[in-house]
Amino acid sequence: MFNIAVLISGSGTNLESILNAVEKDEIKSKVVLVIADRECYGIERAKKRGIETYILDRKAYRDELSDSIYELVKDKADFIVLAGFLSILKGDILKGYKDRIINLHPSLLPKFGGVGMYGDNVHRAVLENREKITGCTVHFVDEGVDTGRIILQRTVSVDYEDKIEDIKRKVQREEHIAIVEAIKKLEVAYEGINQCI
Ligand code: GAR
């Protein structure tokens, strides 16, 4: 079994999906820590399940954010899952957790990734580009922004009458599946390898 730290910034529906999968034994890992970079509803979801939570306000921590997160997770978590986490991780945490941090992104990377591409901005760009297919990606986190090796993607079709909200709803449905599937893949990849904790 692996220990996971989940990093969030928002409503935490993907966190909820992970927690449901843990509860149903669909994944072998358990969530030991939830960290947010701002006040958000996802923290309430974690608290309701009795999980240790931290809010490290990104505006207060600024350049110290990544190192402070690293301090919190390094003796506790085997994997870090970014489930709607909107700050960019830098520095030692990327080395310490190489190939053990995954991020969920609401587009089919490499399309519509990079700085400023998050949440509705992504879906707006998809509409403006008249894409007929979009989706979500789970990828390893490296030094770039949304550039790490892709683990899996799930697609949805974009209908001509779709608005941002429609695309968001369709993509989120797939995200809730994708994030759990990606964790399962990590578990398989690391099975037999000594856990770091
Ligand atoms: C998700 O759609 C996720 O893909 C996106 O934030 C949302 C969080 O939803 N992440 C990014 O845009 C990262 N670049 P949630 O808080 O309900 O899980």
Side-chain angles (χ1 to χ4, degrees), residues 8-16 42 45 82-86 103-107 114 117-120 122-123 136-137 146 168 171-172 175-176:
I8 57 169
S9 303
S11 66
T13 63
N14 286 287
L15 166 67
E16 186 88 29
R45 294 183 196 266
L82 312 189
F85 184 66
L86 300 185
N103 179 48
L104 172 66
H105 185 79
S107 77
M117 277 294 174
Y118 57 86
D120 287 358
V122 175
H123 307 310
C136 62
T137 302
D146 301 327
K168 182 175 174 172
V171 169
Q172 275 204 331
E175 287 185 332
H176 296 161

Side-chain angles (χ1 to χ4, degrees), residues 25-161:
D25 279 334
E26 283 172 18
I27 52 181
K28 298 185 193 111
S29 308
K30 71 171 197 251
V31 176
V32 291
L33 208 57
V34 173
I35 303 172
D37 65 352
R38 64 199 74 189
E39 298 273 353
C40 60
Y41 184 64
I43 285 291
E44 303 311 314
R45 294 183 196 266
K47 280 185 180 163
K48 273 186 203 154
R49 309 255 192 160
I51 296 166
E52 191 176 340
T53 61
Y54 294 89
I55 299 173
L56 271 53
D57 188 335
R58 74 193 202 289
K59 289 185 183 142
Y61 280 79
R62 300 162 69 106
D63 285 347
E64 306 298 316
L65 183 65
S66 294
D67 288 348
S68 306
I69 291 172
Y70 192 23
E71 281 305 311
L72 285 176
V73 299
K74 73 179 175 197
D75 294 328
K76 289 187 178 150
D78 299 292
F79 302 128
I80 303 173
V81 175
L82 312 189
F85 184 66
L86 300 185
S87 295
I88 310 291
L89 291 178
K90 312 174 202 181
D92 289 348
I93 193 168
L94 298 180
K95 295 189 188 86
Y97 277 87
K98 187 171 164 38
D99 291 334
R100 290 188 295 129
I101 311 178
I102 63 172
N103 179 48
L104 172 66
H105 185 79
S107 77
L108 296 175
L109 292 172
K111 283 186 167 182
F112 309 110
V115 177
M117 277 294 174
Y118 57 86
D120 287 358
N121 294 351
V122 175
H123 307 310
R124 187 174 302 109
V126 163
L127 275 184
E128 283 168 5
N129 275 271
R130 303 186 182 189
E131 299 288 332
K132 295 309 293 170
I133 294 176
T134 186
C136 62
T137 302
V138 185
H139 63 93
F140 288 105
V141 172
D142 63 9
E143 273 74 15
V145 179
D146 301 327
T147 51
R149 212 153 25 104
I150 290 173
I151 299 167
L152 61 88
Q153 296 186 309
R154 292 181 67 90
T155 59
V156 303
S157 61
V158 181
D159 297 327
Y160 75 94
E161 73 270 35

